[in-house]
Amino acid sequence: MNIRKDDKVVVLSGKDKGKEGKVLVADPKNNKVVVEGVNVATKHQKPMGQGKEGGIIKVETPIYASKVQLVCPKCGKATRVAHKLVDGKNVRVCKKCGAEIVVK
């Protein structure tokens, strides 16, 4: 899976097609990601204890990683990811502009 936490991605298909957001959670085992503001579901929650309020809350739910594409921080376009060895480290590289994609 080429998508990691804190990457900026764009949704390719589904009801949220075209939306951009930051990856909050990446789950490589199930090949899913949770993207900020995408695939939002409403959840009815009971009050849990003294300080917690109940009510209807909105929660981002996971989507398949194949439905999102990484946005290059340098050129700003949705791109596929290549891998290169630089100084003995495996680095992700933008296929369009060739810039290294660094996780913050």
Side-chain angles (χ1 to χ4, degrees), residues 71-77 94 97-101:
V71 175
C72 177
K74 185 178 179 188
C75 64
K77 298 177 183 174
C94 173
C97 67
E100 288 185 14
I101 299 168

Side-chain angles (χ1 to χ4, degrees), residues 22-51:
K22 189 174 91 169
V23 175
L24 302 174
V25 177
D27 184 9
K29 184 177 178 184
N30 296 323
N31 201 30
K32 292 189 175 188
V33 292
V34 176
V35 182
E36 187 177 38
V38 173
N39 202 25
V40 178
T42 55
K43 178 180 176 183
H44 297 261
Q45 188 169 357
K46 289 179 91 173
M48 299 291 214
Q50 193 81 18

Side-chain angles (χ1 to χ4, degrees), residues 11-23:
V11 180
L12 300 175
S13 65
K15 65 178 182 181
D16 295 318
K17 181 178 179 178
K19 285 188 181 179
E20 287 189 15
K22 189 174 91 169
V23 175

Side-chain angles (χ1 to χ4, degrees), residues 34-84:
V34 176
V35 182
E36 187 177 38
V38 173
N39 202 25
V40 178
T42 55
K43 178 180 176 183
H44 297 261
Q45 188 169 357
K46 289 179 91 173
M48 299 291 214
Q50 193 81 18
K52 304 274 184 168
E53 281 190 25
I56 301 171
I57 59 171
K58 296 191 182 286
V59 179
E60 287 102 356
T61 56
I63 59 173
Y64 284 106
S66 61
K67 290 190 170 204
V68 297
Q69 196 169 34
L70 186 71
V71 175
C72 177
K74 185 178 179 188
C75 64
K77 298 177 183 174
T79 182
R80 291 180 295 147
V81 178
H83 296 275
K84 284 188 180 177

